[in-house]
Amino acid sequence: MKVAVLGAGAIGAYVGAALHRAGVEVHLIARGAHLEAIRRAGVRVLTPRGDFVAHPHATDDPTEVGPVDHVFLGLKANSYASAGPMIRPLLHGTTSIIAAQNGIPWWYFHGLKGPYEGYRIESVDPGGAVTSALPLDRAIGCVVYAATEIEEPGVIRHLEGTRFSIGEPNGELTERCTSFSRAAVEGGLKCPVERDLRRDVWIKLMGNIAFNPISALARATMAGICRHDGARELVVAMMRETVDVARRVGCDPGISIERRLRGAEKAGEHKTSTLQDLEKGKPLELDVLLAAVVELADLTGAEVPTLRAIHAVSDLLNENLVRAV
């Protein structure tokens, strides 16, 4: 098996290192000081499960890698539309694209039987630009239940979780999914192949849609948000509206809001990826979290006043960040 990790940051480098440990031919595509550190000393993973070092090939040029069996995308979703030139050298006739993203994926209604089959979510896939870069027939969904961070260039701190749930948009159990899953498990990850990955999408999104924008607006950790009575009530309202939208498009997350909150509290003083991006002055990954669900609310007639309000102020924050770059 040959795998390219495009966007070998905190999550991508962690997955790439695990796959390399399992004997997979891995190529990390990164840049800057992080790339140079990996080239010099490999990827050092610091984890409660036992630190290790992996030495996969690393480059900033996909043409050095050539076609692979799987492209694991560690990019932010707001980079997908412009990823085509980096993706194309990595593709052969059956190459899959495994997109490890938060929020609603561009493939969401692909292969989903029902009234919305084939619907393109404009806020996620504006003008079809993402579908053009990442063809739907190549897409394998991936929901990440792991927290990692780049402690310093070339060094990945694994904080919690090893689960990367994957699945085909049409729910089939394919060889391309099961073979990738086997390799990931051999490398020390949990990688179940789910027939209904959309349920995982919504379970993860129940937390992300609330904690990510609030953490950026309040500059608060997940535990800090949970400790504040008013902020906690806001999270509950956003989760309730999100579950309503999920059910209207045919998916019941099947998890209580109270249980989802308890899971967030266990993360402790963890900074969400959105807060980390804010502190680095990077654009915020909000369209796939908030804008997409507001768009689906419009599509289905759901009332989501809390989501609309938080989307408005967080979108304004993002606009100011983009102007400052």
Side-chain angles (χ1 to χ4, degrees), residues 6 12 50 57 69 91 110 138 162 174 184 223 324:
L6 180 55
H57 171 246
D69 299 306
L91 303 180
H110 176 60
R138 296 185 182 275
T162 61
T174 59

Side-chain angles (χ1 to χ4, degrees), residues 120-163:
R120 179 174 57 79
I121 307 170
E122 181 66 23
S123 52
V124 171
D125 187 10
V130 174
T131 296
S132 178
L134 313 176
L136 290 168
D137 62 334
R138 296 185 182 275
I140 292 176
C142 178
V143 178
V144 178
Y145 295 94
T148 60
E149 61 186 19
I150 299 177
E151 184 159 292
E152 61 183 80
V155 179
I156 305 300
R157 172 73 65 179
H158 172 226
L159 302 171
E160 62 173 354
T162 61
R163 181 178 162 194

Side-chain angles (χ1 to χ4, degrees), residues 10-27:
I11 286 293
Y14 174 62
V15 171
L19 290 171
H20 186 267
R21 187 165 60 164
V24 174
E25 180 186 342
V26 174
H27 302 265

Side-chain angles (χ1 to χ4, degrees), residues 13 55 70 75 83 99 126 136 213 221 225 238 258 273 309 313:
H55 295 272
H70 304 281
L75 302 171
L136 290 168
T221 64
I225 293 168
M238 294 176 74
E258 292 74 21
S273 58
V313 292

Side-chain angles (χ1 to χ4, degrees), residues 92-299:
H92 58 54
T94 60
T95 302
S96 75
I97 298 173
I98 303 173
Q101 72 162 94
N102 289 324
I104 302 293
W106 84 101
W107 53 260
Y108 189 86
F109 290 109
H110 176 60
L112 180 64
K113 301 299 181 183
Y116 306 116
E117 184 176 4
Y119 177 81
R120 179 174 57 79
I121 307 170
E122 181 66 23
S123 52
V124 171
D125 187 10
V130 174
T131 296
S132 178
L134 313 176
L136 290 168
D137 62 334
R138 296 185 182 275
I140 292 176
C142 178
V143 178
V144 178
Y145 295 94
T148 60
E149 61 186 19
I150 299 177
E151 184 159 292
E152 61 183 80
V155 179
I156 305 300
R157 172 73 65 179
H158 172 226
L159 302 171
E160 62 173 354
T162 61
R163 181 178 162 194
F164 293 78
S165 297
I166 63 173
E168 297 281 358
N170 64 6
E172 292 182 4
L173 294 179
T174 59
E175 172 59 25
R176 67 181 189 173
C177 279
T178 55
S179 62
F180 183 86
S181 172
R182 284 194 299 268
V185 170
E186 288 174 13
L189 305 178
K190 294 178 181 177
C191 190
V193 181
E194 303 288 355
R195 283 192 177 273
D196 183 12
L197 191 69
R198 290 173 180 84
R199 181 174 176 270
D200 286 72
V201 167
W202 285 104
I203 290 172
K204 182 79 183 293
L205 182 56
M206 283 174 67
N208 288 146
I209 201 169
F211 285 101
N212 286 51
I214 293 173
S215 69
L217 293 166
R219 295 182 182 265
T221 64
M222 293 178 71
I225 293 168
C226 290
R227 283 194 300 268
H228 188 278
D229 290 343
R232 189 184 182 96
E233 290 178 9
L234 186 60
V235 168
V236 169
M238 294 176 74
M239 286 187 177
R240 188 177 294 120
E241 292 175 5
T242 300
V243 170
D244 180 37
V245 174
R247 289 171 176 163
R248 287 171 184 254
V249 295
C251 183
D252 189 336
I255 185 173
S256 70
I257 289 173
E258 292 74 21
R259 182 179 171 188
R260 194 66 185 84
L261 274 170
R262 288 197 298 271
E265 285 176 314
K266 289 179 181 177
E269 304 304 329
H270 174 62
K271 293 181 179 181
T272 69
S273 58
T274 305
L275 177 55
Q276 292 179 47
D277 286 342
L278 174 68
E279 292 179 340
K280 296 172 184 174
K282 294 181 178 180
L284 307 181
E285 188 184 33
L286 292 174
D287 286 344
V288 294
L289 299 181
L290 270 167
V293 179
V294 171
E295 182 178 340
L296 294 181
D298 291 337
L299 180 69

